[in-house]
Amino acid sequence: MIKEIKYLLKKHNITLAAHYYEKDEIFDIADLTGDSLELAKKTAKLKKPLIFCGVSFMGESAKILNPSIPVFMPRLADCSMARMAEIEKVKKDIELLKKENINFIPVCYVNSSAKIKAIVGELGGSICTSSSAEKIVQWAIKQNKKIYFLPDKNLGKNTAKKLGVKAKVIREKNWQEADIICFDGHCSVHQLFMPEQIEFYKEKFPDIKIVVHPECSPEVCKMADFVGSTSQILNYVKNHPKETMAIGTEFNFVNRLKRDINPNIYVLSSTKPECPSMNETTMQNLYDLLKAIDEEQPYNEIKVDENIAKNALKALNTMMEITK
Ligand code: 13P
Ligand code: SF4
């Protein structure tokens, strides 16, 4: 099947992009890989059709940033955190912020739907990713406004801690006093990492390095030696190829780091923390899509409503500009 997939990709001049959390067999044949920000930047430059193996918001962002190319996804798999930020809930938060006379600017994690990004664009806000959250929040702070950070409360709180400002989840006691007011969302995979697991590994290997993604809870991030996006974690591992480490992020990625770079890596969990959405995409799905394209019966082509795309692009472009 791999041979046929490679043949069809070449025949139709299609670029294959994959996020680090995808299954190994897909990740290993991808032309473009990276964290969310890198993938957005790389795919924005393409001039030929794209197949994106990842979650829906990634394919949507690629289409919004590069509307002239066809973007396909073998599976339209939704990130559970993006799903949490339902339009009605976000609108309710915004109403409450207005009712309390809070002068705010929204900063929205890229793990969100195009509709939510469009609301953020209309309000003059910016998108951020895990690797750019600090820079974007700094940009927002400079405008002397409070920040409405959505949907990941953990990324919001962890970024606030790094920048020495105060964050609270909206409707939490005295939330109005915070500099960063967070939507009450989280990642179902990264919430699985617990301080107890860090204690367990530290007891077993006193010199162990603890490495985690900023979607983990503030309690977990506080105990870590390094907190970063997937690409930042990859670079950290490359720079520490022999040290014993326990890594708190998605299983496929951690296992690949162990396979390819450092055999002394442990998953910071007693379970297998796979992202169900990222894991939906299989080689068979990729093959079936390519066959359909070959037979001129393509499906799962990403389309975004023109008005939504226009406003979502404003918010995405603000991030692109700040992280240039
Ligand atoms: P990165 O931008 O760090 O790759 O994160 C994407 C993601 O969904 C993490 O759960
Ligand atoms: Fe979404 Fe979490 Fe999966 Fe990342 S790991 S895509 S935030 S559900």
Side-chain angles (χ1 to χ4, degrees):
M1 202 191 305
I2 293 187
K3 254 192 175 170
E4 183 89 359
I5 287 175
K6 285 186 177 167
Y7 165 75
L8 289 170
L9 284 168
K10 209 169 172 188
K11 181 177 172 191
H12 293 283
N13 202 18
I14 294 172
T15 301
L16 184 67
H19 186 264
Y20 293 116
Y21 294 168
E22 289 293 305
K23 291 182 187 297
D24 284 350
E25 61 259 40
I26 287 171
F27 184 86
D28 290 345
I29 60 162
D31 304 300
L32 300 179
T33 60
D35 65 11
S36 308
L37 183 62
E38 289 167 340
L39 281 169
K41 289 195 166 171
K42 287 177 187 176
T43 55
K45 284 188 200 139
L46 289 176
K47 297 213 160 36
K48 49 186 192 163
L50 170 68
I51 292 186
F52 206 130
C53 296
V55 279
S56 301
F57 74 79
M58 295 181 169
E60 260 181 6
S61 298
K63 182 67 190 175
I64 294 166
L65 286 161
N66 195 348
S68 63
I69 61 162
V71 177
F72 299 95
M73 298 187 82
R75 291 283 298 184
L76 301 174
D78 268 340
C79 155
S80 65
M81 184 201 291
R83 241 180 0 231
M84 269 178 218
E86 291 166 16
I87 297 274
E88 287 316 312
K89 283 189 185 160
V90 172
K91 282 190 175 162
K92 257 193 186 155
D93 280 3
I94 291 174
E95 265 170 37
L96 181 59
L97 288 160
K98 287 184 177 163
K99 200 172 130 212
E100 297 274 331
N101 285 323
I102 290 173
N103 188 11
F104 71 96
I105 184 160
V107 171
C108 178
Y109 193 24
V110 72
N111 297 35
S112 52
S113 68
K115 282 185 184 159
I116 296 290
K117 289 186 178 79
I119 294 179
V120 171
E122 265 188 291
L123 291 169
S126 178
I127 303 304
C128 76
T129 64
S130 59
S131 60
S132 62
E134 253 178 84
K135 261 196 179 170
I136 307 292
V137 167
Q138 275 171 325
W139 162 85
I141 288 173
K142 275 196 202 129
Q143 305 191 30
N144 286 325
K145 288 181 183 171
K146 296 211 183 236
I147 295 166
Y148 173 50
F149 193 96
L150 67 161
D152 188 8
K153 65 177 174 195
N154 289 331
L155 184 62
K157 286 188 171 183
N158 290 326
T159 308
K161 179 103 201 295
K162 271 204 140 176
L163 297 174
V165 296
K166 212 165 153 187
K168 274 189 186 276
V169 173
I170 194 161
R171 296 180 188 83
E172 210 176 289
K173 197 169 173 240
N174 299 331
W175 62 271
Q176 296 91 335
E177 290 168 11
D179 307 293
I180 301 184
I181 299 159
C182 305
F183 178 88
D184 195 2
H186 64 268
C187 163
S188 52
V189 181
H190 288 86
Q191 70 162 355
L192 299 172
F193 303 105
M194 296 289 168
E196 295 75 35
Q197 286 145 358
I198 300 182
E199 278 157 16
F200 167 81
Y201 276 108
K202 283 200 167 167
E203 208 168 289
K204 202 165 168 191
F205 307 104
D207 295 328
I208 198 164
K209 293 277 182 275
I210 305 295
V211 176
V212 302
H213 194 276
E215 287 174 13
C216 292
S217 72
E219 295 72 33
V220 163
C221 290
K222 199 172 87 187
M223 293 169 78
D225 298 284
F226 182 77
V227 182
S229 76
T230 48
S231 285
Q232 289 165 341
I233 291 176
L234 170 65
N235 287 334
Y236 184 88
V237 172
K238 280 185 182 161
N239 292 331
H240 300 80
K242 291 199 170 76
E243 272 184 72
T244 305
M245 323 181 176
I247 306 186
T249 191
E250 207 275 341
F251 178 80
N252 287 332
F253 176 47
V254 179
N255 203 41
R256 196 176 308 120
L257 294 173
K258 184 184 174 85
R259 180 194 76 179
D260 295 345
I261 309 174
N262 181 348
N264 307 313
I265 284 176
Y266 294 86
V267 182
L268 184 66
S269 175
S270 48
T271 58
K272 202 175 168 192
E274 285 177 322
C275 169
S277 323
M278 291 278 189
N279 265 277
E280 268 193 36
T281 309
T282 62
M283 282 304 253
Q284 187 66 49
N285 297 150
L286 178 56
Y287 176 72
D288 290 345
L289 174 61
L290 280 163
K291 268 294 216 202
I293 292 172
D294 196 46
E295 286 158 11
E296 294 179 18
Q297 306 239 301
Y299 56 85
N300 286 1
E301 182 174 353
I302 307 300
K303 306 261 185 219
V304 185
D305 171 89
E306 216 176 292
N307 221 11
I308 290 171
K310 191 182 96 200
N311 285 318
L313 182 63
K314 270 192 212 159
L316 277 161
N317 273 344
T318 304
M319 170 180 76
M320 295 304 221
E321 193 56 35
I322 298 168
T323 57
K324 242 193 333 207

